[in-house]
Amino acid sequence: LDSISAAISHLNKSAPKIFSDDYFTQRGMMYFQIGNLDDALKDFDRALQLNQYASQSIYFKAWTLEIMKNNRQFCKSGA
């Protein structure tokens, strides 16, 4: 996880002046890997604003939403 967090930090520091959907998709996938689902979801949404057909963002956004839904249901159950 530390290496992924370091990669995100490096990516944020060297961010391009013009962002592409691929930039947000890749960073979103890194956030997803470390369990930062809120930031992952934001990046997938940004990618889809730039390219509504960004298939990896569509896939990972759906997966992120499913995990978040399951987490909320788990917390509500009191388990």
Side-chain angles (χ1 to χ4, degrees):
L1 292 178
D2 288 339
S3 63
I4 296 171
S5 295
I8 292 169
S9 179
H10 176 73
L11 189 62
N12 289 337
K13 288 178 187 173
S14 63
K17 296 204 183 289
I18 299 174
F19 295 98
S20 68
D21 61 294
D22 189 52
Y23 171 85
F24 289 114
T25 298
Q26 295 304 314
R27 191 175 70 174
M29 290 168 57
M30 286 188 249
Y31 281 131
F32 181 89
Q33 287 179 311
I34 63 170
N36 186 341
L37 300 181
D38 291 328
D39 284 338
L41 190 58
K42 287 176 191 174
D43 275 356
F44 298 140
D45 283 338
R46 288 179 188 148
L48 292 168
Q49 287 174 351
L50 295 170
N51 177 5
Q52 66 181 342
Y53 303 109
S55 59
Q56 283 186 315
S57 284
I58 293 168
Y59 175 82
F60 276 96
K61 179 180 179 177
W63 193 4
T64 301
L65 290 170
E66 184 65 24
I67 291 168
M68 293 171 92
K69 177 183 147 194
N70 288 340
N71 287 348
R72 282 192 300 272
Q73 288 174 348
F74 179 78
C75 290
K76 285 181 184 179
S77 71

